[in-house]
Amino acid sequence: MNKTLIDTARGAQIRVLEAGKGAPLLFLHGAGGLFPDNPFLDQLAERYHVYAPELPGYGESTGEELLDDMLDFALHGWDVAQALGLKQPHLVGHSMGGMIAAEMACIAPHDLSKLVLVNAAGLWIPEHPIPDLFALLPFEFANLLFHDPVAGAALLTGGLDFSPAILLILIQIL
């Protein structure tokens, strides 16, 4: 995929991966960011003109200080679409990017062609907020992400113990 830097109207500089031909597709990544290899995006690029921006604070993208809440993320998404000159793109969001894409669709439902949510993190409802994934400690993830937290913890850590007691020992050692 080609990599370019764009500037948004609000002053963020965003690295965008781009490839393919066809209808425009804007892909929003999850909290893990974009990977060095993206076979999913490569396959999408066989049918669509894919644009995969890195959110501010990821990779080479800047402007994280401009984003305070989910509304800011959604407006940022539309700023990126505007900076890229996209008219009614297909909007695909994965995990946290799915939440952002859903919010973008709520703000401007007529400005996108289709909405696809891939394992979306949920919808932002102030009365029922989702946990702040960036404030969680490693041992807290399994309880939130898996029906069977013990099996989930083993899957996420490769069997390593990230319980609070172990983390405290590691901190003391370091």
Side-chain angles (χ1 to χ4, degrees):
M1 299 192 97
N2 297 320
K3 298 171 186 168
T4 59
L5 288 174
I6 62 165
D7 294 312
T8 67
R10 295 176 204 214
Q13 188 171 65
I14 305 300
R15 186 173 86 152
V16 179
L17 279 61
E18 179 183 356
K21 292 186 172 124
L25 185 149
L26 184 62
F27 175 83
L28 301 177
H29 64 77
L34 292 172
F35 300 109
D37 294 315
N38 294 285
F40 176 70
L41 296 180
D42 293 337
Q43 286 184 344
L44 285 174
E46 292 174 8
R47 292 186 55 198
Y48 301 98
H49 192 146
V50 175
Y51 300 88
E54 288 182 313
L55 290 169
Y58 287 83
E60 298 174 30
S61 293
T62 64
E64 58 271 19
E65 71 281 356
L66 304 171
L67 306 175
D68 290 326
D69 56 25
M70 187 51 62
L71 177 60
D72 287 342
F73 276 92
L75 294 173
H76 168 77
W78 285 121
D79 287 347
V80 168
Q82 180 181 22
L84 291 167
L86 304 182
K87 304 289 185 218
Q88 292 192 306
H90 298 305
L91 191 54
V92 178
H94 170 250
S95 189
M96 180 180 71
M99 179 187 290
I100 296 167
E103 294 296 325
M104 289 172 65
C106 289
I107 290 171
H110 302 291
D111 291 346
L112 63 136
S113 177
K114 292 181 183 175
L115 175 65
V116 177
L117 305 178
V118 182
N119 199 27
L123 300 175
W124 190 260
I125 303 172
E127 296 80 22
H128 302 284
I130 67 165
D132 182 351
L133 298 177
F134 297 104
L136 294 175
L137 295 172
F139 68 90
E140 296 175 303
F141 278 95
N143 289 330
L144 295 171
L145 298 176
F146 295 93
H147 172 72
D148 181 348
V150 173
L155 179 68
L156 288 173
T157 64
L160 296 176
D161 185 358
F162 283 106
S163 64
I166 297 299
L167 288 176
L168 183 58
I169 291 169
L170 289 174
I171 290 169
Q172 291 174 349
I173 292 171
L174 298 175

